[in-house]
Amino acid sequence: MADSNTIRLRVFSLNCWGIRYLSKHCRERYAMIGELLSREEHDIVLLQEVWSEKDFLCLKRKLSSTHPHSHYFKSGVIGSGMATFSRHRIHDAFLYRYSLNGYPYMAHHGDWFGGKAVGMVILNIGSLAAHVYITHLHAEYSREKDSYLPHRVVQAWELQQFIRHTSSGADLVILAGDLNLHPQDLGNRLLRTYTGLRDSYTETAKFDGCEDGITLIADNPFINPKELCPFEKGIRIDYILYKGSGRVSIQCESLSTTKGSVPDHPFPYSDHEALSAELQLQTLTQQAGGDETRGDQDCAAGKLAELVDIVTEARTEVKVGLYCAERMRYTAARTGVMGLALLLLELAIAAVPWLGADQPFPRASFYLLGVLCFAILITTFLLYIFYTMEVKSLQGAEDQMRLAVGSLQERLRRFPLAQPLNPLCRPPDRQDPCPLEPEE
Amino acid sequence: MADSNTIRLRVFSLNCWGIRYLSKHCRERYAMIGELLSREEHDIVLLQEVWSEKDFLCLKRKLSSTHPHSHYFKSGVIGSGMATFSRHRIHDAFLYRYSLNGYPYMAHHGDWFGGKAVGMVILNIGSLAAHVYITHLHAEYSREKDSYLPHRVVQAWELQQFIRHTSSGADLVILAGDLNLHPQDLGNRLLRTYTGLRDSYTETAKFDGCEDGITLIADNPFINPKELCPFEKGIRIDYILYKGSGRVSIQCESLSTTKGSVPDHPFPYSDHEALSAELQLQTLTQQAGGDETRGDQDCAAGKLAELVDIVTEARTEVKVGLYCAERMRYTAARTGVMGLALLLLELAIAAVPWLGADQPFPRASFYLLGVLCFAILITTFLLYIFYTMEVKSLQGAEDQMRLAVGSLQERLRRFPLAQPLNPLCRPPDRQDPCPLEPEE
């Protein structure tokens, strides 16, 4: 395992909060972000919430000399908001839209209109193929009563599936973005354990940033501290994750975040803090592996057992979501039937005068009631279709999870176990311990 | 390149036309299909248009002894209709929903409600990892005036992207399904050239089926021959495609299709013909490659040049679709504004009596006109949102195609060319000639 070559790679990630005319100081902040990026010259820049393509194009012009390669991912009604800039040529881009992403009628939350997705760009760093992923998951508006939890769990599930299945040929994998997940949240554990991605914050020895690595901090002037409750200081929901391969070993040399203010500027870059990681890639001339020890086996078995638990937990969460979605669909159907019954009743009553009754149906009430019935019918019909799609997506995710658990359990049975499992072992001197590829 | 092991793999594909209560003899045909499958015991069965989950579960029960492993892909409002049965254990399943799939208001075509997608299952055949894909693209309702062409091209684009990016770790790749594409259609060329997948019909020496391999034949009693016009005998739109890898060489030993009737039965299995391919897998003990000749280089360069042409053609088609979608969105917006203007005008006229005019606005007309205006506003608003999503998806696909062309052209420039390109060379004695992987 001799090292022939060491490459330094700097990665930047920021949720820009770039809603034109609504986000505070949007234009000025984009100018600041552009200045920062041209000055710092990171290798890879991954931005979220660049909602307007005009702002992307403006940044692209500004960074044309430092970051000649870029890609803007389009999706949904507004767009995915995800943009990437690179000093290395981008060879390929691919987008996966999450099957679930909130509700269109929750327009004030706006997530549905954003068309949340995970984008992948493939670029070559020297002779290495880097698969770089960017994503932004559905926001959490209330930690206590989080009605979007099943959607976010399904998004995390689809995210790990997408990364796992599209990164087989990669020498290195990088994922950055606003996951809207705390470090120990179900979706985060699912993602990290299944893909083997490592968190630059926990892996680096040199961290410079806010306490506990938080990226949504109470001190940020754009943040309403009440919304962070019960986390007084803030939360960590933005990440740079990475993993190497048999050809490349990666170490996170340092990670830094902004701290809520920018020197010589009256306000920060965004409501989120920016992350900047320095990764060191070491190409391995000799492929590791082949001499698997008993300790490695125990570790892999432990990881598998942990994964079974996590996927089972996710499945439970999806089932809860499925129950809610089916109930909502039932409510929509029942309301629709009531609207139809009301309409028929009205028509029957209105028909009575022609049959010889004395008092005619008041014309104004007749029309108003008719309009109401039609509005109910159309709305419930659209909702019924929407909830049916939600049910199908949740059922699909649950089916896939059931399949995954079965497959993991079968692999687990193949391990000759004499000792209790050690689910958290991680040898510190080995790259990507116990990767859980479809078939090892 | 010694062969150590030869495996025989039988693959079956059929579009079942399984719309409960609408498709003719649906129940009886499913019984026939179930009988056929339990009798034939194919290794992998890939069915499309199994629209009802009940029918899938019924088949699953029937095939529980011959095909113990199965997966049903759920998507959209009705479902994706795609089901797979396997004699080999399915380890993983993943679904990619196409970003474009017709229009919800074209309810009589129904494609939008089906949630068209490509499904992948990973299974182990001996020690080999097989990535098996199943798909069903948007139907072509008129060859002369095909308004869905841009959607189908984008679906073919996303299909090839999905297969290319998720099959890096595969030893063998199989794709089967109803592509709704003729052999030389743009989408088909895009798919085959980019992925390197080979068509079992053109590759096999032993074919038993309808003339020219057609799978939608005029002789089928469920087909209206007028719909096939101008192709009197029929068209070939169902496929079994495959490719090997450095570890496995694949040959298609034989391919057969049904011929519109089933012995001892009054009607055929479906309106489509069923395909049955026998593949021979040969595991290679020694990896090929490394001794690239000038001829290989020319071939790869030729393939790249061909691919550039095809992607450029696809880009043009997507641009046409983009133009249409933008025009439709503009029409929706204009109609919406007219509806709003009409509503305001009506309110103004209705307000006149209160201002002292003689003739009041007739009440019935007032309400009817108001309802009409509201209906226009809601419909155009929904259409505007829908067309915006269509525009974004088309723009996204076009961006990715532009990126791909740039990357292909750059790779092409690296070839030292002295002779004119030979775009169609294919050495007959080599497996998967000139594969166009992201980076060779």
Side-chain angles (χ1 to χ4, degrees), chain A residues 31-302:
Chain A
M32 286 162 60
I33 292 167
E35 270 167 38
L36 171 79
L37 296 177
S38 12
R39 191 176 64 237
E40 290 288 331
E41 296 192 16
H42 302 91
D43 291 271
I44 302 163
V45 172
L46 299 156
L47 303 179
Q48 306 95 54
E49 291 210 19
V50 184
W51 292 121
S52 162
E53 196 178 353
K54 282 180 192 157
D55 290 323
F56 165 74
L57 293 171
C58 192
L59 276 177
K60 188 177 169 174
R61 267 196 303 278
K62 205 169 208 163
L63 303 176
S64 59
S65 58
T66 53
H67 298 83
H69 310 289
S70 63
H71 192 76
Y72 186 60
F73 290 99
K74 286 164 191 156
S75 157
V77 185
I78 303 168
S80 73
M82 302 186 304
T84 169
F85 296 92
S86 166
R87 291 178 56 210
H88 309 270
R89 189 180 182 96
I90 296 172
H91 289 280
D92 220 329
F94 188 32
L95 187 74
Y96 181 91
R97 288 158 194 84
Y98 297 125
S99 62
L100 290 169
N101 185 33
Y103 305 97
Y105 54 80
M106 300 297 269
H108 59 298
H109 286 166
D111 292 70
W112 185 85
F113 292 87
K116 297 280 166 72
V118 46
M120 173 181 75
V121 289
I122 297 180
L123 31 93
N124 278 23
I125 297 165
S127 63
L128 302 174
H131 288 210
V132 179
Y133 300 85
I134 175 171
T135 196
H136 183 192
L137 304 193
H138 197 292
E140 183 185 75
Y141 294 97
S142 158
R143 192 138 182 102
E144 274 64 50
K145 210 180 162 185
D146 181 14
S147 54
Y148 299 113
L149 182 58
H151 285 212
R152 211 176 308 103
V153 169
V154 170
Q155 290 187 344
W157 173 258
E158 290 175 347
L159 174 60
Q160 69 77 17
Q161 275 190 316
F162 184 72
I163 293 176
R164 217 157 36 87
H165 292 303
T166 57
S167 64
S168 301
D171 294 317
L172 62 138
V173 176
I174 293 167
L175 163 66
D178 174 3
L179 298 187
N180 274 311
L181 294 166
H182 295 220
Q184 285 311 312
D185 277 0
L186 174 59
N188 208 326
R189 284 180 285 133
L190 189 65
L191 171 69
R192 278 184 290 121
T193 315
Y194 229 136
T195 58
L197 283 167
R198 297 155 77 186
D199 184 348
S200 53
Y201 173 71
T202 56
E203 296 283 329
T204 190
K206 197 175 151 194
F207 173 72
D208 176 31
C210 305
E211 200 184 329
D212 299 326
I214 52 176
T215 58
L216 210 62
I217 64 173
D219 290 346
N220 187 305
F222 300 134
I223 297 257
N224 177 1
K226 279 181 196 160
E227 286 177 7
L228 292 172
C229 188
F231 305 95
E232 278 174 27
K233 286 178 183 169
I235 53 178
R236 184 159 83 92
I237 56 173
D238 300 83
Y239 299 84
I240 295 178
L241 306 170
Y242 63 90
K243 72 169 178 178
S245 66
R247 271 190 73 198
V248 185
S249 140
I250 308 191
Q251 296 298 328
C252 181
E253 286 297 297
S254 69
L255 177 74
S256 63
T257 71
T258 51
K259 295 168 192 170
S261 63
V262 182
D264 305 326
H265 285 283
F267 40 77
Y269 296 112
S270 173
D271 59 345
H272 286 241
E273 301 308 313
L275 280 85
S276 200
E278 195 177 315
L279 305 175
Q280 195 172 296
L281 319 181
Q282 206 160 22
T283 52
L284 306 170
T285 47
Q286 195 184 317
Q287 195 147 336
D291 52 348
E292 204 178 54
T293 64
R294 177 64 202 251
D296 290 345
Q297 275 198 3
D298 280 0
C299 173

Side-chain angles (χ1 to χ4, degrees), chain B residues 75-360:
Chain B
S75 157
V77 184
I78 303 168
S80 72
M82 302 186 306
T84 169
F85 295 92
S86 166
R87 292 179 54 210
H88 308 270
R89 188 180 183 97
I90 297 173
H91 288 279
D92 220 330
F94 188 31
L95 186 75
Y96 180 91
R97 289 158 193 84
Y98 297 125
S99 63
L100 290 170
N101 185 33
Y103 305 97
Y105 53 80
M106 301 296 270
H108 58 297
H109 285 166
D111 292 71
W112 186 85
F113 291 88
K116 297 280 167 73
V118 46
M120 174 181 76
V121 289
I122 298 180
L123 31 93
N124 278 22
I125 296 165
S127 64
L128 303 174
H131 287 210
V132 180
Y133 299 85
I134 175 170
T135 196
H136 182 192
L137 303 194
H138 196 291
E140 183 185 76
Y141 294 97
S142 158
R143 192 140 182 101
E144 274 64 50
K145 209 179 163 187
D146 181 13
S147 54
Y148 298 112
L149 182 58
H151 284 213
R152 210 176 308 104
V153 169
V154 171
Q155 290 187 344
W157 173 257
E158 291 175 346
L159 174 60
Q160 68 77 17
Q161 275 191 317
F162 184 72
I163 293 176
R164 215 157 37 88
H165 291 304
T166 57
S167 63
S168 301
D171 294 317
L172 62 138
V173 176
I174 293 166
L175 164 66
D178 175 3
L179 298 186
N180 274 311
L181 293 167
H182 295 221
Q184 285 311 312
D185 277 0
L186 174 59
N188 208 326
R189 284 180 285 134
L190 189 65
L191 171 68
R192 278 183 291 120
T193 315
Y194 230 137
T195 58
L197 283 167
R198 296 155 78 187
D199 184 348
S200 53
Y201 172 71
T202 56
E203 296 284 327
T204 189
K206 197 176 153 195
F207 174 73
D208 176 33
C210 305
E211 198 184 331
D212 299 327
I214 52 176
T215 58
L216 210 61
I217 63 173
D219 289 346
N220 187 305
F222 300 133
I223 296 256
N224 177 0
K226 278 182 196 160
E227 285 176 9
L228 291 173
C229 185
F231 305 95
E232 277 175 27
K233 286 179 182 167
I235 53 179
R236 183 158 82 92
I237 55 173
D238 299 83
Y239 299 84
I240 295 177
L241 307 170
Y242 62 91
K243 72 170 178 177
S245 66
R247 271 190 73 199
V248 185
S249 141
I250 308 191
Q251 297 298 329
C252 182
E253 286 297 296
S254 69
L255 177 74
S256 62
T257 70
T258 51
K259 296 168 191 170
S261 63
V262 183
D264 305 327
H265 284 283
F267 40 78
Y269 296 111
S270 173
D271 59 346
H272 285 242
E273 301 309 313
L275 281 84
S276 199
E278 194 176 316
L279 304 176
Q280 194 171 298
L281 319 182
Q282 205 161 23
T283 51
L284 307 170
T285 47
Q286 196 183 317
Q287 195 147 338
D291 51 348
E292 203 177 55
T293 64
R294 177 61 202 252
D296 289 344
Q297 274 198 4
D298 281 359
C299 172
K303 278 232 155 193
L304 278 177
E306 187 191 356
L307 202 45
V308 169
D309 289 347
I310 295 174
V311 178
T312 307
E313 195 181 335
R315 224 183 126 189
T316 309
E317 208 53 70
V318 170
K319 275 184 187 166
V320 172
L322 189 55
Y323 172 77
C324 292
E326 279 171 345
R327 216 181 42 187
M328 293 296 276
R329 183 170 66 169
Y330 174 72
T331 305
R334 205 179 46 185
T335 313
V337 169
M338 279 163 60
L340 186 67
L342 194 64
L343 188 67
L344 294 176
L345 188 71
E346 189 202 0
L347 290 175
I349 294 171
V352 169
W354 305 335
L355 297 174
D358 291 339
Q359 291 205 343

